[in-house]
Amino acid sequence: MKIIDAHVHFSRIHTFQQTAVDASMLAYDHTGIERECQDENVIATVGMGVEESVTGAFPDHSAPDLMGLNLPNRPQTMGICIGINPFRFSTESAEKLDALLEEKEYVGVKIYLGYYPYYAFDDVYQPVYELAKKHRVPVVFHTGDTYAEGAILKYAHPLTIDEVAVKHRDVTFVMAHLGDPWCLTAAEVMYKNRNVYADLSGLIVGTTDKVAQHMKKDNSYFDHFKHALIYGDAYERYMFGTDWPLVPIKPYAEWLGGIIPEKHHEAFFHDTALHVFPKLHALI
């Protein structure tokens, strides 16, 4: 089966580099991701644009207004979600974003709720939503737990997406990580709003052995997550993602493949991502 990984990273972020070395034991470079993609029949990926101006500073208020992927040799089948730094986003930024979204490799926009202390419904993001509508690209939100102690969790709560989804019905929104640990709330937001999707990335950080621990039947750690999937009853709007390099692709795909009902696998691992990120068609 062909797979699309709808949430990876490919930027010089210190915490990602450190995690690759110390936790997931992965080669965090183009050879590492290309090897994993080839082994698991991953035909395309979506890279979440993020940068830091000083090593270890993310969430970095001084990062570029529009953040990209700055590791060398980005795979040609990796689409880019342009990251937004709200501290520096301006009218000129909106004009640059408008131009970038004309290019085929820019497949969406990423907003780092929690990492930056702005709610999804803040005025600073309204031009982003208008441009997403114009270019028919999705807006991906970080939701839930953060990978930085300097982040503020209240801004990343999935309930805040409801207001944005109601006001911008013609825009597709994606809640990264299904708002974990507030998965049930995220599932309700999806249940209510047909224009809200979720990727199931970043729920486990570590090696194949770490993933295997959560595959044991007596491990109840993710019962809240499994409950939310059933409650939301929106399997056609969930997407596979890893948050690579936080976890290897193969074991994570096997873990989620054992949770998502088999009749939804084609949609979950491939079709829904192409629907949400239609510009990926040009990269495959």
Side-chain angles (χ1 to χ4, degrees):
M1 181 175 60
K2 295 178 180 179
I3 294 175
I4 294 174
D5 190 332
H7 192 131
V8 303
H9 289 282
F10 203 70
S11 299
R12 290 191 184 95
I13 301 297
H14 178 70
T15 52
F16 295 154
Q17 295 170 319
Q18 189 174 41
T19 297
V21 172
D22 297 337
S24 58
M25 311 299 179
L26 293 170
Y28 184 40
D29 55 25
H30 73 284
T31 59
I33 195 166
E34 287 175 345
R35 180 168 58 248
E36 286 211 63
C37 288
Q38 182 176 6
D39 290 346
E40 300 310 313
N41 202 24
V42 176
I43 63 169
T45 57
V46 180
M48 300 297 155
V50 61
E51 300 180 43
E52 57 186 11
S53 61
V54 178
T55 300
F58 182 75
D60 185 357
H61 297 185
S62 299
D65 52 350
L66 305 180
M67 299 181 287
L69 308 178
N70 57 9
L71 280 181
N73 301 313
R74 174 182 62 87
Q76 294 303 298
T77 55
M78 181 183 290
I80 304 170
C81 264
I82 307 168
I84 304 297
N85 177 357
F87 284 100
R88 301 189 63 183
F89 193 81
S90 64
T91 301
E92 291 75 17
S93 304
E95 292 172 355
K96 290 192 295 182
L97 180 60
D98 191 13
L100 285 175
L101 289 174
E102 293 284 354
E103 301 180 22
K104 70 176 184 179
E105 65 264 35
Y106 293 99
V107 301
V109 182
K110 176 68 182 289
I111 290 177
Y112 289 88
L113 301 180
Y115 291 98
Y116 293 112
Y118 292 81
Y119 288 111
F121 48 75
D122 194 281
D123 288 344
V124 71
Y125 293 129
Q126 299 311 310
V128 175
Y129 305 147
E130 293 301 325
L131 288 172
K133 177 182 177 180
K134 174 183 176 181
H135 293 278
R136 298 181 180 180
V137 298
V139 176
V140 181
F141 295 111
H142 172 87
T143 58
D145 185 32
T146 59
Y147 210 54
E149 289 185 355
I152 302 175
L153 289 173
K154 69 177 183 178
Y155 295 101
H157 197 286
L159 189 60
T160 64
I161 308 304
D162 181 45
E163 182 173 338
V164 177
V166 169
K167 290 182 177 179
H168 299 276
R169 278 295 188 216
D170 294 330
V171 178
T172 297
F173 297 104
V174 178
M175 294 184 293
H177 325 302
L178 193 63
D180 188 44
W182 302 295
C183 297
L184 194 60
T185 300
E188 169 58 22
V189 173
M190 290 180 65
Y191 180 81
K192 175 181 174 289
N193 298 289
R194 64 184 180 276
N195 56 331
V196 178
Y197 293 68
D199 75 46
L200 305 186
S201 68
L203 301 174
I204 300 175
V205 177
T207 61
T208 299
D209 290 341
K210 181 67 177 291
V211 179
Q213 293 175 17
H214 291 288
M215 296 179 76
K216 295 179 180 178
K217 292 183 178 180
D218 60 350
N219 190 332
S220 60
Y221 184 84
F222 279 111
D223 283 357
H224 69 294
F225 166 64
K226 297 173 184 177
H227 176 201
L229 294 180
I230 296 170
Y231 174 84
D233 192 26
Y235 288 105
E236 75 283 359
R237 283 184 278 138
Y238 299 127
M239 294 183 293
F240 174 69
T242 57
D243 222 0
W244 192 92
L246 273 59
V247 68
I249 294 174
K250 181 179 180 180
Y252 199 72
E254 291 175 347
W255 176 63
L256 287 175
I259 295 172
I260 301 294
E262 188 172 355
K263 66 180 180 179
H264 298 293
H265 278 193
E266 195 70 32
F268 174 67
F269 284 105
H270 180 271
D271 295 351
T272 301
L274 282 180
H275 174 72
V276 171
F277 298 99
K279 293 177 73 175
L280 282 178
H281 283 281
L283 303 181
I284 298 174

